[in-house]
Structures are given as C-alpha cells and as structure tokens.
Amino acid sequence: MKTRHYLYGAALAATLIGAGAMAWEADSPADGGSVQVPVVGQVLSTLTTPLASSGTAPAAATIAGDVIRHDIAATTVDSTATQKNNSQTGVPNKNLTLVPTSPSSRKGKLALFLMGTNSTETKEQEIVYAGARRGYHAIALAYPNYDAVAVLCAGSTDTACTGNVRKEMLTGANVSTKVTVAVQDSVETRLQKLLTYLNATYPAEGWGAYLSGTSINWSMISAVGHSQGAGHVAYLAKLHSLYRATMISGVADKTAAGAVAPWLSNTNVTPVANQYGFSHTADSTVTIATAEASWNAIGLASLGALTSTDGAAAPYGNSHKLKTSLAAVGGANIHLSMADDDKMPRTSAGTPAQEPVWDYAAFP
C-alpha cells in the first residue's frame, strides 16, 4: 500500500501587486518567505538546501516513500540561464521534480506545473505531488515569472499585447516590447533542457520518454497553471497538442477596452476536449466572470455549464468549466488559496480539498 504524503506550508503574508486601474485584472504575485515543508510522518528536505552548481555532481535525490524528488537550480541545468532572486524569498526559484519510485506505477505522462506571478516552488507543491501520486512524472518549472502580464500591458492600445508577452515568455521569440526573455530562459527551452538533464543524470527514472531527440513530446504532457501560469497553459494549447491543459484562476487577459484578449480565440492545437478551467467564485484578482469569458473564447462553452465541485464528486456532470466557493484557510487571499499549500482548504484528514478536481481535470 502506497504512503500518501500531504504538504503543509508555513503561514506567509500576502503581497499583491498594485496595478492602478488594472489591478482587478492582474495575475496575482505571490506572498513571500522561505518555507520548510514537512510531510506527514517524516521530514522532507527543504527547497532552501544548497544545490549543486553547474559543473559539479548532481544534487542528491530525496526519497520519501513512493516519490523520488530532485530540487534543481536553473543554472545547474544550463549555465547560460538567468534566474533572478525571487523578490519574496530572496533566492532564485528552482525546478522541483518528482517521479514515482516504482517504475510499475509510472503512467508515462508528465505533469507540468506553471506557477503564477512571482510565486515560488517552495510554497506551491501540493499540486505537483498530486500529479506524482497519480503516477505522473511531475515538474514545477523555474521560469522568469517576475512580471504580471496584465501589469505589463496595462493601458496598452495594442490588442495583441498580452499574447505577445506570453509568446515571448514561452518561446523566447522577440515579439514584445514589454518584456525581454532570452530563448534559453523561455518556458519551452527551460523544459527541454531540464528533461535532457534529468534523462542524462537519472536515466533509470524514465524522463527521456518526454523527448524525441531534442524535441519535447507535448502530447504526453498535462500542463497545469495557476494565475499567470493559467494563461501560459492556455497559450501553450495554441502551440502544441497537449495531453491536458488545465487553467486554475485564469485566464485574465483583456484588451484596454475590457474585451477578452483576441489570442484566446485563436485556433486550438490542443483539442478543446482536453482543456479545463477551475476558479473560485469569490476571487477578486481574476474574477470568475473574467476566467469564464476566457474559457468560452477558447471553446469550453460547448463542454458543459459552469459547475460547482463543492460537495460533488467527479466527473462533475462532465463539465470542463468548474468552480468552487470553499473558504481559504484563516481568511487568506482567495486567489492564492487555489494554489498555495498553506492557504488551500483541506479535508478533515488534512488532504487538499481540491485534489479530486485536480485528478479529474489534470491527472486522469
């Protein structure tokens, strides 16, 4: 019988970006502080433990029951990478990677989690562990998430602003005047190089399955994003055929006139049947009306009405547009409670209350 691990974060003070008239639209920046993350019954190494630098031996794995964990600096994977200090923790974000210990329990699918603005892998681990518990290889990717897309495009009359910002963040293509992301620091290159590193360093763990030469096998990847990360996942679904694309607390992108950003209506490469949205009814950072309008532009309107998951069980009427009204822990920020370990609602057993939703939408 597998041991199931659930994470608990330390209480952290919420910090929100002030975006003037566009504050209601901004992807939420994270609240701060380094956290140590214990697991029930045993202590897991913290993400603040020094890691091997580029050119040295790889950092040792942490094995906790049924999951092998590696915490890997972006510069360990690629010495040309640039990962600034997270303004809340004071250290660069790292790649959190997990794989089921037993090869027989591995599904041959990869869960890719993209955090929101200025968030950090030290405080958003439950979703990543949920994927690993379902048999997925799992990654919370360190990428340049310093700036909120909505803040960068606030007041811009260019209706393509948010789409161009996301394209540059994801691919490194020089298409935006609002942000500068080198190819080596883009989400796609970071993921490709991390998978290459993992395959070379830990060949028995099966990371090579998600590569064909130097190309990513996108069809084997379930991409999950929160806030800014939700928008990145939606844009990835325009570029690649993903196994799943799950948007939590997003997408927030609008034009200066308040219309849904045009890129959201672009042709989907990921079939709309593989895409899901999940938001909180009381989210004031990215309102559920804004999120649903984005989902409808993508095409989710044809896949069920907005459906509450509270007190219900999967498959939630087979809807792809899901909502919750569960209270955050201690009255914490609702938007952050959809991803932050120390703010999300939990069951009486201490498990994340939303884990069945994650399993349904992202980790079938």
Side-chain angles (χ1 to χ4, degrees):
M1 182 177 181
K2 291 184 178 180
T3 303
R4 296 173 63 85
H5 302 293
Y6 296 92
L7 310 175
Y8 295 87
L12 304 171
T15 303
L16 297 177
I17 284 177
M22 292 292 288
W24 56 274
E25 191 62 28
D27 292 315
S28 175
D31 49 358
S34 298
V35 294
Q36 294 185 342
V37 188
V39 290
V40 176
Q42 50 191 300
V43 177
L44 194 63
S45 298
T46 72
L47 292 177
T48 54
T49 300
L51 300 178
S53 59
S54 183
T56 67
T62 297
I63 302 177
D66 53 0
V67 174
I68 302 169
R69 168 176 172 160
H70 307 287
D71 301 308
I72 306 170
T75 52
T76 297
V77 176
D78 180 3
S79 62
T80 69
T82 302
Q83 188 73 25
K84 297 190 301 187
N85 287 347
N86 184 289
S87 64
Q88 304 302 319
T89 66
V91 296
N93 287 356
K94 301 176 182 69
N95 297 294
L96 167 61
T97 73
L98 306 172
V99 60
T101 305
S102 171
S104 64
S105 67
R106 300 170 189 166
K107 282 192 173 184
K109 296 289 190 295
L110 172 65
L112 172 66
F113 179 59
L114 297 178
M115 297 169 286
T117 305
N118 205 33
S119 191
T120 168
E121 82 293 341
T122 59
K123 57 195 284 297
E124 296 185 353
Q125 300 184 16
E126 284 283 20
I127 293 175
V128 192
Y129 269 88
R133 286 193 291 270
R134 296 283 284 184
Y136 288 63
H137 289 72
I139 292 172
L141 189 71
Y143 74 98
N145 66 334
Y146 325 119
D147 301 307
V149 174
V151 174
L152 291 171
C153 290
S156 174
T157 58
D158 179 6
T159 59
C161 184
T162 57
N164 286 339
V165 167
R166 292 192 187 279
K167 184 175 182 178
E168 184 151 340
M169 288 179 168
L170 290 168
T171 69
N174 185 18
V175 295
S176 174
T177 60
K178 301 293 185 180
V179 69
T180 300
V181 178
V183 171
Q184 66 265 29
D185 294 324
S186 68
V187 166
E188 291 189 355
T189 302
R190 287 280 179 92
L191 178 60
Q192 185 271 330
K193 290 193 174 184
L194 177 60
L195 289 170
T196 300
Y197 172 87
L198 288 165
N199 184 46
T201 310
Y202 310 105
E205 292 179 5
W207 297 99
Y210 309 111
L211 292 169
S212 293
T214 60
S215 298
I216 298 170
N217 290 331
W218 292 101
S219 64
M220 301 170 71
I221 295 177
S222 177
V224 187
H226 174 254
S227 194
Q228 179 182 151
H232 290 335
V233 166
Y235 204 100
L236 280 175
K238 305 295 186 184
L239 300 175
H240 308 288
S241 183
L242 300 166
Y243 175 62
R244 287 288 172 96
T246 304
M247 299 156 279
I248 301 175
S249 305
V251 179
D253 294 13
K254 288 186 178 182
T255 67
V260 173
W263 72 263
L264 285 156
S265 299
N266 290 351
T267 301
N268 294 297
V269 177
T270 297
V272 69
N274 294 359
Q275 301 190 51
Y276 294 79
F278 183 42
S279 282
H280 200 288
T281 57
D283 191 337
S284 60
T285 304
V286 181
T287 67
I288 196 163
T290 293
E292 187 182 16
S294 296
W295 303 339
N296 288 343
I298 290 168
L300 298 190
S302 65
L303 295 172
L306 187 62
T307 301
S308 176
T309 61
D310 299 346
Y316 311 111
N318 296 310
S319 177
H320 288 228
K321 298 192 303 181
L322 305 171
K323 64 181 180 180
T324 180
S325 300
L326 295 182
V329 171
N333 180 283
I334 288 293
H335 185 71
L336 298 180
S337 76
M338 294 292 285
D340 284 16
D341 300 334
D342 66 320
K343 297 175 180 62
M344 62 180 57
R346 293 181 179 270
T347 68
S348 59
T351 65
Q354 308 299 3
E355 185 163 5
V357 184
W358 306 336
D359 290 349
Y360 163 69
F363 311 131

